[in-house]
């Protein structure tokens, strides 16, 4: 599963750290005073330290990280609701796992290199091959059906730079061992549940569905051998973006006639199931598959989100049946997510035939969409409950005790660790953190074994006995 | 901050996927039927697909992943309780960020390579340099003090293989902008809070503390220039593991006399603060620093966990003051975590002088320790509440509706997607998943608009009306 289109969105989607734009900002600094151990002398080296993350990658400052965690939590919650188990694999895999010869972008733009042990390795461009490897490693030890999800960081490398990102995070949901469209529909339902959970409606997002069997049946009718199926699908996917002339070379490489492609594209512009039925006939497996999927979507009550679209084929070679793609109804953004059925993938690795379906859902386009629809929560607040502050160095030990008590009662507490800070600074600091309370230990309060607590929301101040701090924490929870 | 020792633990700590042992298991399979797009013919390629993850890396199967998530959640909870904000940086960084010339293991074992754009990059061996880069990129825009945490995956590469892992996850906690030991003590307190949260006591774990000022003051007294400080500390750290003769070469490279090292090691065997006071004098800054830290630890009520140990120096060049190391009291395992103060790191990158302290806490040794002490929870259950199952193909639509209702009420639901499964299989499946209930839609129940629900814990079966499923979910929560 991959939605690699979604990597290539604006650089400032989740990150907001690079001063804008798609390129590198030259915020270089000097690496002074480097110690040379050979002679123990200081060398005035002028190595420049680039403070930007590597080209095409992101830093996650706390606010960006809160957004990322929020998004991942939404994904995790939906996956769990549907009974999926989380897994992970190394971000670095053997290159051989990803090299397929079907002209896919995902394999052409591999972030691969030779490591120090002369191994050909790659930063994963997608998660599905790792999943296949993991399942095969257990040699049948994993009971099917398997319903697994993961949120891997995926990488790609292009020589030509168009300000596109080289990494993204991608929610993957996969069902293995179920041949019927029931699995595809369950995946579509999970995807819609996520969209709803973040406040999107079927007016914002649609999911185009199709089956590669449509192409398969047309090719069979035209007498094109089955081996050309995967590469043809990748080619047809490219036709969405570039004119036929531009991929003349690819055509010849596959050994396909121009007329075949023209015939294919003609079928793929048919925009209704009935229209496809007219072309492929009542008994067409493709038609039955799509019809069955549509019926299931009705039962899931997600039919408002689903659109049959014969032109959707997705750009990965391994899809075999149902394919789908979530899209922005406004038509402004790239594909939000994509997936489908890939019943033959495990066989290509030498494994047993295993029906499989899944999707990949990138972290970039969805955030753009949520921003555009004003559905993104604010991540400005750090979530700190109370800033604890001693009004003098001799009171610092008491501040430690107060912070400890509040933490033990379950609060998120920022203890002011500097002994020389003024109240004015502390309140400004608390405000910047988005804290709810400031707990002040002054000498008067100390003598009375009390803490002065200021509620930053309503400005009210109260004095709480040291012994009653945990009660105060409980009471303040009730108020919220 | 790094605890790179902790990478080098048994391969089967968190993973349990590779059939045991530190080496590669040769579970290779054949990549048959590879399609060659050049001529469109099937080639009988015999490329072997290795189903193992790359050497020294781990797969996380669902059970491993639940353990990992549990550990990360514990770390996150503690970090949040202490008011720390999470951040992240790319796993791939410019190599220049990590190359220091002090003979550290962490920089000698860099997992670096040249990318396709001829850039020298590396998979990060530690997180602190990325943190420095991120802070500098904001050019003073990040208000201090900063309290940030992260859980990065860190990498290393050794040519010589000793079955050691090449990656680990590492909890990092850092405080920037606070010069006093109050920051170091806050970090130690957070670490202890974590230990307590997972059930460990000060009988299981101790934390050795020291200050590099001790070495600094001895070197100054011996007339050794300040520039040799960092490399000397790295060397002294190595003395913990290898005899002096073995690092004769390193000694000469730094330009240190053997007698200096002998004098140093003598001081470092002093096992009490009073003993150090005798050597360095009452007014020694090192002594005052350590004494102050010890007093703070008493206030935090963590003094049972803390041991002064002058021999602890840690292996990273950039530490300047307090250093500490959590260890297994039984003396069996390697260091559990380590950290300290690194007030000059930002300057070496060309930034402003900024006091800083932090620690790194690897995911390997702690899991070994928890296993050894029988404190690790079971991660066998998938957390599924209810398996929903239609007793016939014509009832499948109702199963979808039931699953949807239960999910909307907050349950984790596994819907049986195959229409041909028998009850016997379903109950075995539910048992394997560790599910609590099986909801069966049979024809009789269907006619009465009911669902038969079997409680797998007590074996009781009840019939619930379709309309009352969400009420049943609420009621079943109360029972638990």
């Amino acid at each position: 599963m991959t939605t690699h289109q979604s990597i290539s969105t604006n650089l400032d989607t989740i990150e907001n750290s690079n001063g804008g734009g798609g390129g590198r900002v030259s915020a270089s600094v000097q690496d002074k005073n480097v110690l040379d151990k050979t002679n123990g002398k200081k060398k005035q080296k002028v190595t420049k330290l680039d403070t930007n993350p590597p080209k095409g990658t992101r830093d996650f400052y706390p606010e960006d990280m809160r957004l990322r965690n929020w998004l991942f939590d939404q994904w995790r919650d939906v996956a769990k609701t549907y009974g999926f188990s989380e897994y992970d694999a190394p971000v670095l895999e053997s290159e051989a796992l990803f090299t397929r010869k079907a002209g896919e972008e995902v394999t052409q733009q591999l972030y691969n290199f030779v490591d120090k042990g002369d191994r050909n390795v790659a930063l994963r461009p997608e998660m599905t091959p790792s999943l296949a490897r993991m399942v095969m490693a257990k040699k049948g030890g994993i009971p099917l059906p398997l319903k697994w999800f993961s949120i891997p960081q995926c990488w790609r490398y292009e020589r030509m730079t168009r300000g596109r990102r080289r990494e993204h995070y991608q929610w993957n949901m996969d069902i293995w061992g179920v041949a019927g469209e029931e699995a595809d529909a369950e995946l579509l339902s999970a995807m819609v549940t996520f969209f709803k959970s973040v406040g999107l409606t079927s007016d914002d997002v649609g999911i185009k569905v199709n089956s590669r069997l449509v192409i398969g049946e047309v090719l069979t009718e035209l007498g094109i051998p089955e081996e050309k199926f995967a590469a043809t699908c990748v080619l047809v996917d490219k036709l969405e973006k570039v004119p036929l002339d531009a991929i003349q070379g690819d055509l010849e490489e596959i050994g396909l006639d121009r007329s075949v492609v023209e015939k294919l594209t003609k079928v793929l512009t048919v925009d209704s199931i009935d229209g496809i039925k007219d072309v492929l006939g009542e008994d067409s497996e493709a038609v039955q598959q799509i019809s069955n999927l549509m019926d299931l979507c009705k039962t899931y009550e997600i039919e408002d989100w689903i659109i049959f679209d014969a032109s959707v084929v997705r750009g990965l070679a391994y899809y075999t049946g149902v394919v789908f793609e979530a899209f922005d109804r406004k038509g402004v953004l790239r594909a939000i997510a994509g997936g489908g059925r890939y019943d033959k993938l495990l066989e290509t690795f030498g494994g047993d035939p295993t029906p499989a379906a899944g999707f990949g859902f990138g972290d970039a386009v969805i955030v753009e969409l949520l921003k555009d629809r004003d559905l993104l929560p604010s991540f400005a607040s750090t979530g700190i409950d109370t800033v604890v502050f001693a009004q003098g160095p001799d009171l610092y030990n008491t501040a430690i005790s107060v912070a400890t008590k509040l933490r033990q009662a379950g609060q998120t507490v920022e203890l002011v660790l500097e002994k020389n800070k003024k109240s004015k600074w502390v309140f400004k600091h608390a405000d910047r953190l988005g804290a709810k309370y400031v707990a002040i230990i002054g000498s008067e309060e100390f003598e009375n074994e009390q803490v002065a607590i200021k509620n930053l929301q309503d400005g009210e101040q109260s004095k709480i006995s040291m012994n009653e701090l945990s009660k105060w924490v409980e009471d303040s929870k009730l108020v919220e």
Side-chain angles (χ1 to χ4, degrees), chain A residues 133-193:
Chain A
R133 183 181 58 64
M134 285 175 67
V135 170
M136 285 181 69
K138 291 292 192 186
K139 295 174 186 171
I142 296 173
L144 297 181
L146 157 168
K147 294 176 189 173
W148 285 6
F149 82 98
S150 63
I151 309 179
Q153 188 175 29
C154 298
W155 293 75
R156 71 157 167 203
Y157 192 94
E158 302 173 277
R159 279 184 190 277
M160 302 285 286
T161 45
R162 290 173 274 177
R164 310 214 293 181
R165 275 228 308 275
R166 287 184 173 158
E167 52 78 18
H168 74 164
Y169 284 92
Q170 191 187 76
W171 178 34
N172 278 249
M173 293 270 284
D174 291 273
I175 300 176
W176 284 39
V178 180
E181 288 75 50
E182 289 73 22
D184 313 80
E186 176 91 339
L187 290 167
L188 290 169
S189 166
M191 198 186 266
V192 169
T193 299

Coordinates of all heavy atoms in Angstrom, one line a residue, chain A residues 133-193:
Chain A
R133 N 7.4 -10.2 4.3 CA 8.6 -10.8 4.8 C 8.4 -11.4 6.2 O 8.7 -12.5 6.6 CB 9.8 -9.8 4.8 CG 11.1 -10.4 5.3 CD 12.2 -9.4 5.4 NE 12.0 -8.2 6.2 CZ 11.8 -8.3 7.5 NH1 11.8 -9.4 8.1 NH2 11.6 -7.2 8.2
M134 N 7.7 -10.6 7.1 CA 7.4 -11.0 8.4 C 6.5 -12.2 8.5 O 6.7 -13.1 9.3 CB 6.8 -9.8 9.2 CG 7.9 -8.8 9.6 SD 7.1 -7.3 10.4 CE 6.5 -8.0 12.0
V135 N 5.5 -12.2 7.6 CA 4.6 -13.3 7.6 C 5.3 -14.6 7.2 O 5.1 -15.6 7.8 CB 3.3 -13.0 6.7 CG1 2.5 -14.2 6.5 CG2 2.5 -11.9 7.4
M136 N 6.1 -14.4 6.1 CA 6.8 -15.6 5.6 C 7.8 -16.2 6.6 O 8.1 -17.4 6.7 CB 7.5 -15.2 4.3 CG 6.6 -15.1 3.1 SD 7.4 -14.7 1.6 CE 8.3 -16.2 1.4
A137 N 8.4 -15.3 7.4 CA 9.4 -15.7 8.4 C 8.8 -16.6 9.4 O 9.5 -17.5 9.9 CB 10.1 -14.5 9.1
K138 N 7.5 -16.5 9.6 CA 6.9 -17.4 10.6 C 6.4 -18.7 10.0 O 5.9 -19.5 10.7 CB 5.7 -16.6 11.2 CG 6.0 -15.5 12.1 CD 6.7 -15.9 13.4 CE 6.8 -14.8 14.3 NZ 7.6 -15.1 15.5
K139 N 6.7 -18.9 8.7 CA 6.4 -20.2 8.0 C 5.0 -20.8 8.4 O 5.0 -21.9 8.9 CB 7.5 -21.2 8.4 CG 8.8 -20.7 7.8 CD 9.9 -21.7 8.3 CE 11.3 -21.2 7.8 NZ 12.3 -22.0 8.4
G140 N 4.0 -20.0 8.3 CA 2.7 -20.5 8.6 C 2.3 -20.4 10.0 O 1.2 -20.9 10.4
G141 N 3.2 -19.9 10.8 CA 2.9 -19.8 12.3 C 1.9 -18.7 12.7 O 1.5 -18.6 13.8
I142 N 1.6 -17.8 11.7 CA 0.6 -16.8 12.0 C -0.7 -17.2 11.5 O -1.0 -17.4 10.3 CB 1.1 -15.5 11.4 CG1 2.4 -15.0 12.0 CG2 0.0 -14.4 11.5 CD1 3.0 -13.8 11.3
P143 N -1.7 -17.4 12.5 CA -3.0 -17.8 12.0 C -3.7 -16.7 11.2 O -3.6 -15.6 11.5 CB -3.8 -18.0 13.4 CG -2.9 -17.6 14.5 CD -1.6 -17.1 13.9
L144 N -4.4 -17.2 10.1 CA -5.1 -16.3 9.3 C -6.6 -16.4 9.7 O -7.0 -17.4 10.2 CB -5.0 -16.7 7.8 CG -3.5 -16.5 7.3 CD1 -3.5 -16.9 5.8 CD2 -3.0 -15.1 7.4
P145 N -7.4 -15.4 9.5 CA -7.1 -14.1 8.9 C -6.2 -13.3 9.8 O -6.4 -13.3 11.0 CB -8.4 -13.4 8.6 CG -9.3 -14.0 9.7 CD -8.9 -15.5 9.8
L146 N -5.4 -12.5 9.2 CA -4.5 -11.6 10.0 C -5.0 -10.2 9.7 O -5.4 -9.8 8.6 CB -3.1 -11.8 9.4 CG -2.0 -10.7 9.5 CD1 -0.7 -11.5 9.1 CD2 -2.2 -9.6 8.5
K147 N -5.2 -9.4 10.7 CA -5.6 -8.0 10.6 C -4.6 -7.1 11.3 O -4.6 -7.1 12.6 CB -7.0 -7.8 11.2 CG -8.1 -8.5 10.4 CD -9.5 -8.3 11.1 CE -10.5 -9.2 10.4 NZ -11.8 -9.2 11.1
W148 N -3.7 -6.6 10.6 CA -2.6 -5.8 11.2 C -2.5 -4.4 10.7 O -2.9 -4.1 9.6 CB -1.2 -6.5 10.9 CG -1.0 -7.7 11.7 CD1 -1.8 -8.4 12.5 CD2 0.2 -8.5 11.6 NE1 -1.2 -9.5 13.0 CE2 0.1 -9.6 12.5 CE3 1.5 -8.4 11.0 CZ2 1.0 -10.6 12.7 CZ3 2.4 -9.3 11.2 CH2 2.2 -10.4 12.0
F149 N -2.1 -3.5 11.5 CA -1.8 -2.1 11.1 C -0.5 -1.6 11.6 O 0.1 -2.2 12.5 CB -2.9 -1.2 11.5 CG -2.8 -0.7 13.0 CD1 -2.2 0.6 13.2 CD2 -3.2 -1.4 14.0 CE1 -2.1 1.1 14.5 CE2 -3.0 -1.0 15.4 CZ -2.5 0.3 15.6
S150 N 0.0 -0.6 10.9 CA 1.3 0.0 11.3 C 1.3 1.5 10.9 O 0.5 1.9 10.0 CB 2.5 -0.7 10.8 OG 2.5 -0.6 9.4
I151 N 2.2 2.3 11.5 CA 2.3 3.7 11.0 C 3.8 3.9 10.8 O 4.5 4.6 11.5 CB 1.8 4.6 12.1 CG1 0.4 4.2 12.5 CG2 1.8 6.1 11.6 CD1 -0.3 5.1 13.6
P152 N 4.3 3.3 9.7 CA 5.8 3.4 9.4 C 6.1 4.8 8.8 O 5.3 5.4 8.1 CB 6.0 2.3 8.4 CG 4.7 2.3 7.6 CD 3.7 2.5 8.7
Q153 N 7.4 5.2 9.0 CA 7.9 6.3 8.2 C 8.4 5.7 6.9 O 9.2 4.7 6.9 CB 9.0 7.0 8.9 CG 9.5 8.3 8.3 CD 10.5 9.1 9.1 OE1 11.3 8.5 9.8 NE2 10.5 10.4 8.9
C154 N 8.0 6.2 5.7 CA 8.5 5.7 4.5 C 9.3 6.7 3.7 O 9.0 7.9 3.9 CB 7.3 5.3 3.6 SG 6.3 3.9 4.4
W155 N 10.2 6.3 2.9 CA 11.2 7.2 2.3 C 11.3 7.0 0.8 O 10.9 5.9 0.3 CB 12.6 6.9 2.9 CG 12.8 7.2 4.3 CD1 12.2 6.5 5.4 CD2 13.4 8.3 4.9 NE1 12.6 7.1 6.5 CE2 13.3 8.3 6.3 CE3 14.1 9.4 4.3 CZ2 13.8 9.2 7.1 CZ3 14.7 10.4 5.2 CH2 14.5 10.3 6.5
R156 N 11.7 8.1 0.1 CA 12.0 7.9 -1.3 C 13.1 8.9 -1.6 O 13.3 9.9 -0.9 CB 10.7 8.2 -2.1 CG 10.3 9.7 -2.1 CD 9.5 9.9 -3.3 NE 8.8 11.2 -3.2 CZ 7.7 11.5 -3.9 NH1 7.2 10.6 -4.7 NH2 7.2 12.7 -3.8
Y157 N 13.7 8.7 -2.8 CA 14.8 9.5 -3.2 C 14.6 9.9 -4.7 O 14.5 9.0 -5.5 CB 16.1 8.9 -3.0 CG 17.2 9.9 -3.2 CD1 17.8 10.5 -2.1 CD2 17.7 10.2 -4.4 CE1 18.7 11.5 -2.2 CE2 18.7 11.2 -4.6 CZ 19.2 11.8 -3.5 OH 20.2 12.8 -3.6
E158 N 14.5 11.1 -5.0 CA 14.5 11.5 -6.4 C 15.8 12.3 -6.6 O 16.1 13.2 -5.8 CB 13.3 12.5 -6.7 CG 12.0 12.0 -6.4 CD 11.0 13.2 -6.6 OE1 10.9 14.0 -5.6 OE2 10.4 13.3 -7.6
R159 N 16.4 12.1 -7.8 CA 17.5 13.0 -8.2 C 17.0 14.4 -8.5 O 17.5 15.4 -8.1 CB 18.2 12.4 -9.4 CG 19.2 11.3 -9.0 CD 20.0 10.8 -10.2 NE 20.7 9.6 -9.8 CZ 21.8 9.6 -9.2 NH1 22.4 10.8 -8.9 NH2 22.4 8.5 -8.8
M160 N 16.0 14.4 -9.3 CA 15.3 15.7 -9.7 C 14.6 16.2 -8.5 O 13.7 15.5 -8.0 CB 14.3 15.5 -10.8 CG 14.9 14.9 -12.0 SD 15.9 16.1 -12.9 CE 14.5 17.1 -13.6
T161 N 14.9 17.4 -8.0 CA 14.2 17.8 -6.8 C 13.1 18.9 -7.2 O 13.4 19.8 -7.9 CB 15.1 18.4 -5.8 OG1 16.1 19.3 -6.5 CG2 15.9 17.3 -5.1
R162 N 12.0 18.6 -6.7 CA 10.9 19.6 -7.0 C 10.3 20.1 -5.6 O 9.1 20.3 -5.5 CB 9.8 18.9 -7.8 CG 10.2 18.6 -9.2 CD 9.1 17.7 -9.9 NE 9.3 16.3 -9.6 CZ 8.5 15.3 -10.1 NH1 7.4 15.7 -10.7 NH2 8.7 14.1 -9.8
G163 N 11.2 20.2 -4.7 CA 10.8 20.6 -3.3 C 9.8 19.6 -2.7 O 9.1 19.9 -1.8
R164 N 9.9 18.3 -3.1 CA 9.0 17.3 -2.6 C 9.7 16.7 -1.4 O 10.9 16.6 -1.3 CB 8.8 16.2 -3.6 CG 8.3 16.8 -4.9 CD 7.3 16.0 -5.6 NE 7.8 14.7 -6.1 CZ 7.0 13.8 -6.8 NH1 5.8 14.1 -7.0 NH2 7.5 12.7 -7.2
R165 N 8.9 16.2 -0.5 CA 9.4 15.6 0.7 C 9.9 14.2 0.4 O 9.4 13.5 -0.5 CB 8.4 15.5 1.8 CG 8.3 16.8 2.6 CD 8.3 16.5 4.1 NE 7.3 15.5 4.5 CZ 6.0 15.8 4.7 NH1 5.6 17.1 4.7 NH2 5.2 14.9 5.0
R166 N 11.0 13.8 1.2 CA 11.5 12.5 1.0 C 11.1 11.4 2.0 O 11.4 10.3 1.9 CB 13.1 12.6 1.0 CG 13.6 13.2 -0.3 CD 15.1 13.2 -0.3 NE 15.5 13.7 -1.7 CZ 16.6 14.3 -1.9 NH1 17.5 14.4 -1.0 NH2 16.9 14.7 -3.1
E167 N 10.3 11.9 2.9 CA 9.8 10.9 3.9 C 8.3 11.3 4.2 O 8.0 12.5 4.1 CB 10.6 10.9 5.2 CG 10.9 12.2 5.9 CD 9.8 12.8 6.7 OE1 8.9 12.1 7.1 OE2 9.9 14.0 7.0
H168 N 7.6 10.4 4.6 CA 6.2 10.7 5.2 C 5.9 9.5 6.1 O 6.5 8.4 6.1 CB 5.2 10.9 4.1 CG 4.7 9.7 3.4 ND1 3.5 9.7 2.7 CD2 5.2 8.5 3.2 CE1 3.4 8.5 2.1 NE2 4.4 7.7 2.5
Y169 N 4.9 9.7 7.0 CA 4.4 8.6 7.8 C 3.1 8.1 7.1 O 2.4 8.9 6.5 CB 4.1 9.1 9.2 CG 5.3 9.2 10.0 CD1 6.0 10.5 10.1 CD2 5.9 8.2 10.7 CE1 7.2 10.6 10.8 CE2 7.0 8.3 11.4 CZ 7.7 9.5 11.5 OH 8.8 9.6 12.2
Q170 N 2.9 6.9 7.2 CA 1.8 6.3 6.5 C 1.1 5.2 7.3 O 1.7 4.2 7.7 CB 2.4 5.6 5.2 CG 1.4 5.2 4.2 CD 2.0 4.4 3.1 OE1 2.4 3.2 3.3 NE2 2.2 5.0 1.9
W171 N -0.2 5.5 7.5 CA -1.0 4.5 8.2 C -1.3 3.3 7.3 O -1.8 3.6 6.2 CB -2.3 5.2 8.6 CG -3.3 4.3 9.3 CD1 -3.1 3.3 10.2 CD2 -4.8 4.5 9.3 NE1 -4.3 2.8 10.6 CE2 -5.3 3.5 10.1 CE3 -5.6 5.4 8.6 CZ2 -6.7 3.4 10.3 CZ3 -7.0 5.2 8.8 CH2 -7.5 4.2 9.6
N172 N -0.9 2.1 7.6 CA -1.2 0.9 6.8 C -2.2 0.0 7.6 O -2.0 -0.3 8.8 CB 0.1 0.1 6.6 CG 0.9 0.7 5.5 OD1 1.1 0.1 4.5 ND2 1.5 1.9 5.7
M173 N -3.2 -0.4 6.9 CA -4.2 -1.4 7.4 C -4.2 -2.5 6.4 O -4.4 -2.3 5.2 CB -5.5 -0.8 7.5 CG -5.7 0.4 8.5 SD -6.1 -0.2 10.1 CE -7.9 -0.5 9.9
D174 N -4.0 -3.7 6.9 CA -4.0 -4.9 6.0 C -4.8 -6.1 6.5 O -4.7 -6.4 7.7 CB -2.6 -5.3 5.7 CG -1.8 -4.3 4.8 OD1 -2.0 -4.4 3.6 OD2 -1.2 -3.4 5.4
I175 N -5.5 -6.8 5.7 CA -6.2 -8.0 6.0 C -5.7 -9.1 5.1 O -5.7 -9.0 3.9 CB -7.7 -7.8 5.8 CG1 -8.3 -6.7 6.7 CG2 -8.4 -9.2 6.1 CD1 -9.8 -6.5 6.5
W176 N -5.2 -10.1 5.7 CA -4.7 -11.3 4.9 C -5.5 -12.5 5.2 O -5.9 -12.8 6.4 CB -3.2 -11.6 5.3 CG -2.2 -10.6 4.7 CD1 -2.4 -9.2 4.6 CD2 -0.9 -10.9 4.2 NE1 -1.3 -8.7 4.0 CE2 -0.4 -9.7 3.8 CE3 -0.2 -12.0 4.1 CZ2 0.9 -9.6 3.2 CZ3 1.1 -12.0 3.5 CH2 1.6 -10.7 3.1
G177 N -5.8 -13.3 4.2 CA -6.4 -14.5 4.4 C -7.9 -14.5 4.1 O -8.6 -15.5 4.3
V178 N -8.4 -13.4 3.6 CA -9.8 -13.3 3.3 C -9.9 -12.9 1.8 O -9.5 -11.8 1.4 CB -10.6 -12.2 4.1 CG1 -12.0 -12.1 3.7 CG2 -10.4 -12.5 5.6
A179 N -10.5 -13.8 1.0 CA -10.6 -13.6 -0.4 C -11.7 -12.7 -0.9 O -11.6 -12.0 -1.9 CB -10.7 -15.0 -1.1
G180 N -12.8 -12.7 -0.1 CA -14.0 -11.9 -0.6 C -13.9 -10.4 -0.4 O -13.0 -9.9 0.3
E181 N -14.8 -9.7 -1.0 CA -14.9 -8.3 -1.0 C -15.3 -7.8 0.5 O -15.2 -6.6 0.8 CB -15.9 -7.7 -1.9 CG -15.5 -7.8 -3.4 CD -15.6 -9.2 -3.9 OE1 -16.6 -9.9 -3.8 OE2 -14.6 -9.7 -4.5
E182 N -15.7 -8.8 1.3 CA -16.0 -8.4 2.7 C -14.7 -7.8 3.3 O -14.9 -6.8 4.2 CB -16.3 -9.7 3.5 CG -17.7 -10.3 3.2 CD -17.7 -11.0 1.8 OE1 -16.7 -11.4 1.3 OE2 -18.9 -11.1 1.3
A183 N -13.5 -8.2 3.0 CA -12.3 -7.6 3.5 C -12.1 -6.2 3.0 O -11.9 -5.2 3.7 CB -11.1 -8.5 3.2
D184 N -12.3 -6.0 1.7 CA -12.2 -4.7 1.1 C -13.2 -3.7 1.7 O -12.8 -2.6 2.0 CB -12.4 -4.8 -0.4 CG -11.6 -5.9 -1.1 OD1 -12.1 -7.1 -1.0 OD2 -10.6 -5.7 -1.6
A185 N -14.4 -4.2 1.9 CA -15.4 -3.3 2.5 C -15.1 -2.9 3.9 O -15.3 -1.8 4.3 CB -16.8 -4.0 2.4
E186 N -14.6 -3.9 4.7 CA -14.2 -3.6 6.0 C -13.1 -2.5 6.1 O -13.2 -1.6 6.9 CB -13.7 -4.9 6.7 CG -13.2 -4.8 8.1 CD -14.2 -5.0 9.2 OE1 -15.4 -4.9 8.9 OE2 -13.9 -5.3 10.4
L187 N -12.2 -2.6 5.2 CA -11.1 -1.6 5.1 C -11.7 -0.2 4.7 O -11.3 0.8 5.3 CB -10.1 -2.0 4.0 CG -9.2 -3.2 4.4 CD1 -8.4 -3.7 3.2 CD2 -8.2 -2.8 5.5
L188 N -12.6 -0.2 3.8 CA -13.2 1.0 3.4 C -14.0 1.6 4.6 O -14.0 2.8 4.8 CB -14.2 0.8 2.2 CG -13.5 0.6 0.9 CD1 -14.5 0.1 -0.2 CD2 -12.7 1.8 0.4
S189 N -14.7 0.8 5.3 CA -15.5 1.2 6.5 C -14.5 1.8 7.5 O -14.8 2.9 8.1 CB -16.2 0.0 7.1 OG -16.7 0.4 8.3
A190 N -13.4 1.2 7.7 CA -12.4 1.7 8.7 C -11.9 3.1 8.3 O -11.8 4.0 9.1 CB -11.2 0.8 8.9
M191 N -11.7 3.2 7.0 CA -11.2 4.5 6.5 C -12.2 5.6 6.7 O -11.9 6.7 7.1 CB -10.9 4.3 5.0 CG -10.0 5.4 4.4 SD -9.8 5.3 2.7 CE -8.3 4.4 2.5
V192 N -13.5 5.3 6.4 CA -14.6 6.2 6.6 C -14.7 6.6 8.1 O -14.9 7.8 8.4 CB -15.9 5.7 6.0 CG1 -17.0 6.6 6.4 CG2 -15.8 5.7 4.5
T193 N -14.6 5.6 8.9 CA -14.7 5.8 10.4 C -13.6 6.9 10.8 O -13.9 7.8 11.6 CB -14.5 4.5 11.2 OG1 -15.6 3.6 10.8 CG2 -14.6 4.8 12.7

